[in-house]
Amino acid sequence: MAAANKLSVGVIGCANIAKKNCVAASTPFASCSITAVSSRSDDKAREFVNEVFSGIEQRPTHIFSGSDAYDKLLESKESCDAVYIPLPTKLHEAYVGTALRNKKHVLLEKPVAVSAQSYRDMLSIASQEGKFLMDGTMYVHQTRTKQIVKAIPNANRIHFNFTFEGDEDFFENNVRVKKEGDFMGCIGDLAWYCVRMGLLVFSELNADALRQGLVKEVQVVNCELNDEGVPIDADCMVYFSDKRVLSIHCSFKHPLNQTVNIFGTGSEYTATITDVVLPRKGEHLEISLSKQNLIGYDQICCQEGKGLQ
């Protein structure tokens, strides 16, 4: 794709997650190009560009730094058509509003806002300005996702386990365990993906169903907080319309696990995906469908399985 036909994107802040995503967005087949970078530190902005775009022919042509760097990028008419915002959650509403009012599309890291009302306000501005506001839940855009949604007819129960084990540096320094950073901790970070799966499956990708409000009640049934009061291990229940339920375990304390199980009344099979968020490398992304039947009271069951690719 010619550079002239690509969507130009500016990056607000130089967070670690922005490095990974900017590398991915700079591949030759990407439909966008990073044209602007901003940081309150000039040194950090230039280090970011040198690290991320080393060996890449097309580098950002606009670098903004200083205490007003974010506003300068957002108010710049020639630097970009869209912005990626990987800032801490508390800063989202102000900068998203500025971006949209300056006629820029927005890709926003999750969790998107400090409250549902805050996000509704952002969506309202996006609608008024005729711009897209998207969050950074990547697996939604995988081709496998449509198969996941259709795998189990009449799905009414999902269990999603998403955990990873943070090291000492993570618990001391990562923004996801800081009260002044992403204060919703593992719930805002990991459970976000789980809730999205529930919305996708129970809506069957129907936008009208999503607009009608599928979620009826949310409960955090168990939660461990760190010294700053940020959740680091939690179990949650999300109750949807028509007696459908999503159960979640999310944690920064357990080994990596990203498994989702989907069940349906009247369905022969259970769908299991063990790499739903961070897919394993390989030619195919798989969905396992398994069927188990009791062969007698309190006796071992036999199992039949198949895979979708």
Side-chain angles (χ1 to χ4, degrees), residues 46-57:
R46 298 190 182 279
E47 287 172 5
F48 180 91
V49 171
N50 290 334
E51 178 182 346
V52 173
F53 300 94
S54 176
I56 298 176
E57 182 178 349

Side-chain angles (χ1 to χ4, degrees), residues 3-200:
N5 296 326
K6 292 187 175 186
L7 181 73
S8 60
V9 178
V11 182
I12 306 297
C14 297
N16 285 331
I17 193 171
K19 295 179 181 178
K20 177 191 72 171
N21 291 330
C22 285
V23 168
S26 300
T27 55
F29 56 82
S31 58
C32 63
S33 63
I34 308 301
T35 56
V37 170
S38 63
S39 174
R40 291 170 176 170
S41 165
D42 183 67
D43 289 342
K44 190 172 183 179
R46 298 190 182 279
E47 287 172 5
F48 180 91
V49 171
N50 290 334
E51 178 182 346
V52 173
F53 300 94
S54 176
I56 298 176
E57 182 178 349
Q58 189 170 356
R59 297 162 66 91
T61 53
H62 304 271
I63 300 177
F64 301 90
S65 60
S67 59
D68 59 348
Y70 302 159
D71 289 315
K72 286 191 290 188
L73 188 153
L74 295 173
E75 293 168 2
S76 170
K77 294 182 178 180
E78 69 279 357
S79 64
C80 58
D81 302 310
V83 291
Y84 168 48
I85 303 180
L87 299 173
T89 307
K90 288 185 177 181
L91 300 178
H92 286 183
E93 186 169 7
Y95 288 113
V96 167
T98 301
L100 294 170
R101 292 188 179 97
N102 279 279
K103 310 302 180 183
K104 290 175 170 56
H105 304 294
V106 176
L107 174 62
L108 185 61
E109 272 302 333
K110 43 74 191 155
V112 293
V114 297
S115 68
Q117 186 57 52
S118 175
Y119 192 46
R120 292 189 191 101
D121 293 342
M122 297 183 208
L123 291 170
S124 177
I125 299 172
S127 178
Q128 293 168 15
E129 299 294 341
K131 296 299 175 182
F132 289 107
L133 171 58
M134 298 175 62
D135 77 302
T137 310
M138 54 281 196
Y139 75 75
V140 172
H141 307 285
Q142 295 172 2
T143 55
R144 176 174 60 170
T145 300
K146 287 185 178 180
Q147 287 186 297
I148 294 174
V149 170
K150 298 176 181 178
I152 302 298
N154 303 313
N156 54 21
R157 181 75 188 218
I158 302 171
H159 178 68
F160 203 138
N161 195 70
F162 192 14
T163 65
F164 70 83
E165 192 170 11
D167 58 16
E168 183 178 348
D169 180 71
F170 176 87
F171 284 109
E172 287 183 359
N173 301 306
N174 196 278
V175 68
R176 287 172 284 183
V177 295
K178 297 296 181 184
K179 184 177 180 180
E180 295 304 318
D182 287 334
F183 62 93
M184 288 180 271
C186 63
I187 296 176
D189 180 30
L190 304 179
W192 182 270
Y193 295 95
C194 308
V195 172
R196 180 60 65 87
M197 180 60 72
L199 291 170
L200 290 171

